[in-house]
PDB file of all heavy atoms in Angstrom:
ATOM      1  N   VAL A 282       0.881  -1.193   0.000  1.00 94.00           N
ATOM      2  CA  VAL A 282      -0.020  -0.002   0.013  1.00 94.00           C
ATOM      3  C   VAL A 282       0.885   1.220   0.013  1.00 94.00           C
ATOM      4  O   VAL A 282       1.962   1.241   0.663  1.00 94.00           O
ATOM      5  CB  VAL A 282      -0.909   0.011   1.282  1.00 94.00           C
ATOM      6  CG1 VAL A 282      -1.885   1.176   1.181  1.00 94.00           C
ATOM      7  CG2 VAL A 282      -1.713  -1.311   1.369  1.00 94.00           C
ATOM      8  N   LEU A 283       0.493   2.273  -0.743  1.00 96.00           N
ATOM      9  CA  LEU A 283       1.285   3.502  -0.735  1.00 96.00           C
ATOM     10  C   LEU A 283       0.578   4.528   0.136  1.00 96.00           C
ATOM     11  O   LEU A 283      -0.556   4.818  -0.019  1.00 96.00           O
ATOM     12  CB  LEU A 283       1.320   4.024  -2.227  1.00 96.00           C
ATOM     13  CG  LEU A 283       2.170   5.342  -2.455  1.00 96.00           C
ATOM     14  CD1 LEU A 283       3.618   5.107  -2.040  1.00 96.00           C
ATOM     15  CD2 LEU A 283       2.006   5.809  -3.905  1.00 96.00           C
ATOM     16  N   TYR A 284       1.388   5.093   1.094  1.00 96.00           N
ATOM     17  CA  TYR A 284       0.823   5.995   2.054  1.00 96.00           C
ATOM     18  C   TYR A 284       1.548   7.296   1.868  1.00 96.00           C
ATOM     19  O   TYR A 284       2.656   7.459   1.412  1.00 96.00           O
ATOM     20  CB  TYR A 284       1.119   5.525   3.483  1.00 96.00           C
ATOM     21  CG  TYR A 284       0.312   4.367   3.912  1.00 96.00           C
ATOM     22  CD1 TYR A 284       0.827   3.047   3.880  1.00 96.00           C
ATOM     23  CD2 TYR A 284      -1.037   4.493   4.295  1.00 96.00           C
ATOM     24  CE1 TYR A 284       0.075   1.963   4.272  1.00 96.00           C
ATOM     25  CE2 TYR A 284      -1.808   3.429   4.668  1.00 96.00           C
ATOM     26  CZ  TYR A 284      -1.255   2.132   4.658  1.00 96.00           C
ATOM     27  OH  TYR A 284      -2.007   1.063   5.032  1.00 96.00           O
ATOM     28  N   LEU A 285       0.850   8.420   2.390  1.00 94.00           N
ATOM     29  CA  LEU A 285       1.383   9.728   2.472  1.00 94.00           C
ATOM     30  C   LEU A 285       1.461  10.080   3.951  1.00 94.00           C
ATOM     31  O   LEU A 285       0.446   9.960   4.676  1.00 94.00           O
ATOM     32  CB  LEU A 285       0.568  10.729   1.697  1.00 94.00           C
ATOM     33  CG  LEU A 285       1.098  12.193   1.677  1.00 94.00           C
ATOM     34  CD1 LEU A 285       0.878  12.854   0.318  1.00 94.00           C
ATOM     35  CD2 LEU A 285       0.383  13.010   2.754  1.00 94.00           C
ATOM     36  N   ASN A 286       2.595  10.595   4.396  1.00 94.00           N
ATOM     37  CA  ASN A 286       2.791  11.007   5.830  1.00 94.00           C
ATOM     38  C   ASN A 286       2.355  12.464   5.937  1.00 94.00           C
ATOM     39  O   ASN A 286       3.031  13.330   5.357  1.00 94.00           O
ATOM     40  CB  ASN A 286       4.197  10.735   6.196  1.00 94.00           C
ATOM     41  CG  ASN A 286       4.511  11.328   7.598  1.00 94.00           C
ATOM     42  OD1 ASN A 286       3.667  11.306   8.510  1.00 94.00           O
ATOM     43  ND2 ASN A 286       5.745  11.823   7.775  1.00 94.00           N
ATOM     44  N   THR A 287       1.316  12.738   6.772  1.00 92.00           N
ATOM     45  CA  THR A 287       0.834  14.130   6.919  1.00 92.00           C
ATOM     46  C   THR A 287       1.803  14.907   7.848  1.00 92.00           C
ATOM     47  O   THR A 287       1.661  16.145   7.816  1.00 92.00           O
ATOM     48  CB  THR A 287      -0.549  14.129   7.527  1.00 92.00           C
ATOM     49  OG1 THR A 287      -0.571  13.555   8.814  1.00 92.00           O
ATOM     50  CG2 THR A 287      -1.543  13.373   6.583  1.00 92.00           C
ATOM     51  N   GLY A 288       2.614  14.243   8.584  1.00 91.00           N
ATOM     52  CA  GLY A 288       3.562  14.973   9.465  1.00 91.00           C
ATOM     53  C   GLY A 288       3.077  15.206  10.862  1.00 91.00           C
ATOM     54  O   GLY A 288       3.804  15.778  11.674  1.00 91.00           O
ATOM     55  N   VAL A 289       1.845  14.785  11.197  1.00 93.00           N
ATOM     56  CA  VAL A 289       1.311  15.091  12.529  1.00 93.00           C
ATOM     57  C   VAL A 289       1.592  13.977  13.563  1.00 93.00           C
ATOM     58  O   VAL A 289       1.289  14.159  14.738  1.00 93.00           O
ATOM     59  CB  VAL A 289      -0.208  15.352  12.508  1.00 93.00           C
ATOM     60  CG1 VAL A 289      -0.470  16.579  11.589  1.00 93.00           C
ATOM     61  CG2 VAL A 289      -0.931  14.185  12.037  1.00 93.00           C
ATOM     62  N   SER A 290       2.202  12.866  13.116  1.00 93.00           N
ATOM     63  CA  SER A 290       2.497  11.779  14.044  1.00 93.00           C
ATOM     64  C   SER A 290       3.309  12.185  15.218  1.00 93.00           C
ATOM     65  O   SER A 290       3.193  11.673  16.309  1.00 93.00           O
ATOM     66  CB  SER A 290       3.162  10.634  13.266  1.00 93.00           C
ATOM     67  OG  SER A 290       4.411  11.006  12.729  1.00 93.00           O
ATOM     68  N   ARG A 291       4.235  13.145  15.001  1.00 91.00           N
ATOM     69  CA  ARG A 291       5.104  13.530  16.083  1.00 91.00           C
ATOM     70  C   ARG A 291       4.414  14.335  17.189  1.00 91.00           C
ATOM     71  O   ARG A 291       4.986  14.560  18.239  1.00 91.00           O
ATOM     72  CB  ARG A 291       6.262  14.435  15.517  1.00 91.00           C
ATOM     73  CG  ARG A 291       5.740  15.752  14.891  1.00 91.00           C
ATOM     74  CD  ARG A 291       6.849  16.402  14.055  1.00 91.00           C
ATOM     75  NE  ARG A 291       7.176  15.588  12.840  1.00 91.00           N
ATOM     76  CZ  ARG A 291       7.997  16.002  11.915  1.00 91.00           C
ATOM     77  NH1 ARG A 291       8.687  17.102  12.044  1.00 91.00           N
ATOM     78  NH2 ARG A 291       8.200  15.172  10.857  1.00 91.00           N
ATOM     79  N   TYR A 292       3.152  14.711  16.919  1.00 92.00           N
ATOM     80  CA  TYR A 292       2.400  15.456  17.939  1.00 92.00           C
ATOM     81  C   TYR A 292       1.361  14.540  18.671  1.00 92.00           C
ATOM     82  O   TYR A 292       0.603  15.029  19.475  1.00 92.00           O
ATOM     83  CB  TYR A 292       1.608  16.602  17.297  1.00 92.00           C
ATOM     84  CG  TYR A 292       2.558  17.571  16.514  1.00 92.00           C
ATOM     85  CD1 TYR A 292       2.527  17.568  15.146  1.00 92.00           C
ATOM     86  CD2 TYR A 292       3.457  18.373  17.165  1.00 92.00           C
ATOM     87  CE1 TYR A 292       3.402  18.394  14.426  1.00 92.00           C
ATOM     88  CE2 TYR A 292       4.303  19.212  16.471  1.00 92.00           C
ATOM     89  CZ  TYR A 292       4.275  19.188  15.081  1.00 92.00           C
ATOM     90  OH  TYR A 292       5.134  20.009  14.410  1.00 92.00           O
ATOM     91  N   PHE A 293       1.372  13.228  18.310  1.00 92.00           N
ATOM     92  CA  PHE A 293       0.411  12.335  18.939  1.00 92.00           C
ATOM     93  C   PHE A 293       0.737  12.157  20.377  1.00 92.00           C
ATOM     94  O   PHE A 293      -0.090  12.302  21.269  1.00 92.00           O
ATOM     95  CB  PHE A 293       0.371  11.040  18.277  1.00 92.00           C
ATOM     96  CG  PHE A 293      -0.778  10.108  18.658  1.00 92.00           C
ATOM     97  CD1 PHE A 293      -1.988  10.136  18.097  1.00 92.00           C
ATOM     98  CD2 PHE A 293      -0.602   9.288  19.808  1.00 92.00           C
ATOM     99  CE1 PHE A 293      -2.992   9.305  18.547  1.00 92.00           C
ATOM    100  CE2 PHE A 293      -1.600   8.442  20.292  1.00 92.00           C
ATOM    101  CZ  PHE A 293      -2.809   8.477  19.654  1.00 92.00           C
ATOM    102  N   MET A 294       1.965  11.808  20.683  1.00 88.00           N
ATOM    103  CA  MET A 294       2.423  11.588  22.058  1.00 88.00           C
ATOM    104  C   MET A 294       2.524  12.951  22.797  1.00 88.00           C
ATOM    105  O   MET A 294       2.879  13.973  22.170  1.00 88.00           O
ATOM    106  CB  MET A 294       3.744  10.883  22.137  1.00 88.00           C
ATOM    107  CG  MET A 294       3.715   9.493  21.584  1.00 88.00           C
ATOM    108  SD  MET A 294       2.711   8.456  22.599  1.00 88.00           S
ATOM    109  CE  MET A 294       3.097   6.791  21.849  1.00 88.00           C
ATOM    110  N   ARG A 295       2.237  13.014  24.035  1.00 83.00           N
ATOM    111  CA  ARG A 295       2.327  14.248  24.766  1.00 83.00           C
ATOM    112  C   ARG A 295       3.779  14.641  25.074  1.00 83.00           C
ATOM    113  O   ARG A 295       4.695  13.733  25.088  1.00 83.00           O
ATOM    114  CB  ARG A 295       1.540  14.162  26.094  1.00 83.00           C
ATOM    115  CG  ARG A 295       2.096  13.064  27.035  1.00 83.00           C
ATOM    116  CD  ARG A 295       1.407  13.132  28.409  1.00 83.00           C
ATOM    117  NE  ARG A 295       1.786  14.322  29.147  1.00 83.00           N
ATOM    118  CZ  ARG A 295       1.581  14.462  30.470  1.00 83.00           C
ATOM    119  NH1 ARG A 295       0.991  13.495  31.152  1.00 83.00           N
ATOM    120  NH2 ARG A 295       1.939  15.587  31.067  1.00 83.00           N
ATOM    121  N   ASN A 296       4.018  15.885  25.257  1.00 77.00           N
ATOM    122  CA  ASN A 296       5.315  16.423  25.612  1.00 77.00           C
ATOM    123  C   ASN A 296       5.494  16.352  27.125  1.00 77.00           C
ATOM    124  O   ASN A 296       4.569  16.721  27.903  1.00 77.00           O
ATOM    125  CB  ASN A 296       5.547  17.800  25.123  1.00 77.00           C
ATOM    126  CG  ASN A 296       5.585  17.923  23.603  1.00 77.00           C
ATOM    127  OD1 ASN A 296       6.201  17.066  22.994  1.00 77.00           O
ATOM    128  ND2 ASN A 296       4.919  18.897  23.037  1.00 77.00           N
ATOM    129  N   PHE A 297       6.619  15.928  27.622  1.00 77.00           N
ATOM    130  CA  PHE A 297       6.897  15.862  29.035  1.00 77.00           C
ATOM    131  C   PHE A 297       7.889  16.946  29.458  1.00 77.00           C
ATOM    132  O   PHE A 297       8.779  17.366  28.622  1.00 77.00           O
ATOM    133  CB  PHE A 297       7.399  14.482  29.412  1.00 77.00           C
ATOM    134  CG  PHE A 297       6.435  13.364  29.280  1.00 77.00           C
ATOM    135  CD1 PHE A 297       6.375  12.660  28.105  1.00 77.00           C
ATOM    136  CD2 PHE A 297       5.507  13.143  30.185  1.00 77.00           C
ATOM    137  CE1 PHE A 297       5.525  11.568  27.933  1.00 77.00           C
ATOM    138  CE2 PHE A 297       4.566  12.168  30.093  1.00 77.00           C
ATOM    139  CZ  PHE A 297       4.545  11.370  28.917  1.00 77.00           C
ATOM    140  N   THR A 298       7.738  17.466  30.684  1.00 73.00           N
ATOM    141  CA  THR A 298       8.597  18.490  31.159  1.00 73.00           C
ATOM    142  C   THR A 298       9.872  18.022  31.738  1.00 73.00           C
ATOM    143  O   THR A 298      10.736  18.837  32.099  1.00 73.00           O
ATOM    144  CB  THR A 298       7.830  19.376  32.256  1.00 73.00           C
ATOM    145  OG1 THR A 298       7.440  18.455  33.318  1.00 73.00           O
ATOM    146  CG2 THR A 298       6.548  19.973  31.643  1.00 73.00           C
ATOM    147  N   ARG A 299      10.069  16.732  31.820  1.00 77.00           N
ATOM    148  CA  ARG A 299      11.307  16.183  32.371  1.00 77.00           C
ATOM    149  C   ARG A 299      11.676  14.860  31.765  1.00 77.00           C
ATOM    150  O   ARG A 299      10.806  14.288  31.055  1.00 77.00           O
ATOM    151  CB  ARG A 299      11.251  16.076  33.874  1.00 77.00           C
ATOM    152  CG  ARG A 299      10.127  15.270  34.397  1.00 77.00           C
ATOM    153  CD  ARG A 299      10.141  14.985  35.847  1.00 77.00           C
ATOM    154  NE  ARG A 299       8.902  14.502  36.384  1.00 77.00           N
ATOM    155  CZ  ARG A 299       8.818  13.824  37.501  1.00 77.00           C
ATOM    156  NH1 ARG A 299       9.866  13.508  38.214  1.00 77.00           N
ATOM    157  NH2 ARG A 299       7.666  13.374  37.892  1.00 77.00           N
ATOM    158  N   ASP A 300      12.820  14.329  31.981  1.00 80.00           N
ATOM    159  CA  ASP A 300      13.235  13.071  31.470  1.00 80.00           C
ATOM    160  C   ASP A 300      12.399  11.940  32.075  1.00 80.00           C
ATOM    161  O   ASP A 300      12.334  11.786  33.270  1.00 80.00           O
ATOM    162  CB  ASP A 300      14.748  12.859  31.747  1.00 80.00           C
ATOM    163  CG  ASP A 300      15.313  11.555  31.123  1.00 80.00           C
ATOM    164  OD1 ASP A 300      14.577  10.956  30.373  1.00 80.00           O
ATOM    165  OD2 ASP A 300      16.454  11.290  31.397  1.00 80.00           O
ATOM    166  N   ILE A 301      11.819  11.101  31.246  1.00 81.00           N
ATOM    167  CA  ILE A 301      10.962  10.003  31.707  1.00 81.00           C
ATOM    168  C   ILE A 301      11.623   8.655  31.568  1.00 81.00           C
ATOM    169  O   ILE A 301      11.008   7.630  31.783  1.00 81.00           O
ATOM    170  CB  ILE A 301       9.622  10.011  31.006  1.00 81.00           C
ATOM    171  CG1 ILE A 301       9.764   9.718  29.498  1.00 81.00           C
ATOM    172  CG2 ILE A 301       8.858  11.309  31.262  1.00 81.00           C
ATOM    173  CD1 ILE A 301       8.422   9.490  28.800  1.00 81.00           C
ATOM    174  N   THR A 302      12.853   8.636  31.158  1.00 82.00           N
ATOM    175  CA  THR A 302      13.503   7.340  30.913  1.00 82.00           C
ATOM    176  C   THR A 302      13.654   6.478  32.202  1.00 82.00           C
ATOM    177  O   THR A 302      13.794   5.279  32.124  1.00 82.00           O
ATOM    178  CB  THR A 302      14.901   7.539  30.314  1.00 82.00           C
ATOM    179  OG1 THR A 302      15.692   8.390  31.115  1.00 82.00           O
ATOM    180  CG2 THR A 302      14.820   8.131  28.905  1.00 82.00           C
ATOM    181  N   GLY A 303      13.583   7.179  33.325  1.00 82.00           N
ATOM    182  CA  GLY A 303      13.673   6.428  34.604  1.00 82.00           C
ATOM    183  C   GLY A 303      12.329   5.990  35.103  1.00 82.00           C
ATOM    184  O   GLY A 303      12.272   5.275  36.140  1.00 82.00           O
ATOM    185  N   PHE A 304      11.253   6.270  34.460  1.00 83.00           N
ATOM    186  CA  PHE A 304       9.907   5.810  34.834  1.00 83.00           C
ATOM    187  C   PHE A 304       9.812   4.282  34.640  1.00 83.00           C
ATOM    188  O   PHE A 304      10.200   3.783  33.574  1.00 83.00           O
ATOM    189  CB  PHE A 304       8.847   6.580  34.085  1.00 83.00           C
ATOM    190  CG  PHE A 304       8.661   8.041  34.502  1.00 83.00           C
ATOM    191  CD1 PHE A 304       9.568   8.626  35.345  1.00 83.00           C
ATOM    192  CD2 PHE A 304       7.599   8.750  34.006  1.00 83.00           C
ATOM    193  CE1 PHE A 304       9.397   9.975  35.678  1.00 83.00           C
ATOM    194  CE2 PHE A 304       7.404  10.078  34.311  1.00 83.00           C
ATOM    195  CZ  PHE A 304       8.338  10.721  35.206  1.00 83.00           C
ATOM    196  N   THR A 305       9.264   3.621  35.594  1.00 82.00           N
ATOM    197  CA  THR A 305       9.108   2.139  35.480  1.00 82.00           C
ATOM    198  C   THR A 305       7.682   1.672  35.598  1.00 82.00           C
ATOM    199  O   THR A 305       7.448   0.444  35.423  1.00 82.00           O
ATOM    200  CB  THR A 305       9.989   1.492  36.573  1.00 82.00           C
ATOM    201  OG1 THR A 305       9.530   1.913  37.878  1.00 82.00           O
ATOM    202  CG2 THR A 305      11.445   1.786  36.394  1.00 82.00           C
ATOM    203  N   SER A 306       6.739   2.523  35.910  1.00 79.00           N
ATOM    204  CA  SER A 306       5.346   2.105  36.059  1.00 79.00           C
ATOM    205  C   SER A 306       4.409   3.225  35.648  1.00 79.00           C
ATOM    206  O   SER A 306       4.789   4.383  35.627  1.00 79.00           O
ATOM    207  CB  SER A 306       5.048   1.694  37.504  1.00 79.00           C
ATOM    208  OG  SER A 306       5.036   2.827  38.370  1.00 79.00           O
ATOM    209  N   PRO A 307       3.123   2.911  35.351  1.00 75.00           N
ATOM    210  CA  PRO A 307       2.176   3.917  34.984  1.00 75.00           C
ATOM    211  C   PRO A 307       2.022   4.982  36.107  1.00 75.00           C
ATOM    212  O   PRO A 307       1.787   6.134  35.823  1.00 75.00           O
ATOM    213  CB  PRO A 307       0.873   3.157  34.783  1.00 75.00           C
ATOM    214  CG  PRO A 307       1.290   1.773  34.434  1.00 75.00           C
ATOM    215  CD  PRO A 307       2.540   1.542  35.203  1.00 75.00           C
TER     216      PRO A 307
END
Protein backbone atom coordinates (compact mmCIF):
# COMPACT_ATOMS: atom_id res chain seq x y z
CA VAL A 1 0.00 0.00 0.00
CA LEU A 2 1.28 3.49 -0.79
CA TYR A 3 0.87 6.01 2.04
CA LEU A 4 1.39 9.73 2.48
CA ASN A 5 2.76 10.98 5.80
CA THR A 6 0.85 14.10 6.91
CA GLY A 7 3.56 14.96 9.46
CA VAL A 8 1.32 15.10 12.54
CA SER A 9 2.47 11.77 14.03
CA ARG A 10 5.13 13.56 16.06
CA TYR A 11 2.37 15.44 17.94
CA PHE A 12 0.39 12.36 18.96
CA MET A 13 2.41 11.62 22.08
CA ARG A 14 2.32 14.26 24.80
CA ASN A 15 5.33 16.40 25.63
CA PHE A 16 6.90 15.88 29.05
CA THR A 17 8.57 18.53 31.17
CA ARG A 18 11.33 16.20 32.36
CA ASP A 19 13.24 13.06 31.46
CA ILE A 20 10.96 10.01 31.72
CA THR A 21 13.52 7.32 30.92
CA GLY A 22 13.67 6.43 34.61
CA PHE A 23 9.93 5.83 34.87
CA THR A 24 9.12 2.16 35.49
CA SER A 25 5.34 2.09 36.05
CA PRO A 26 2.18 3.95 34.99
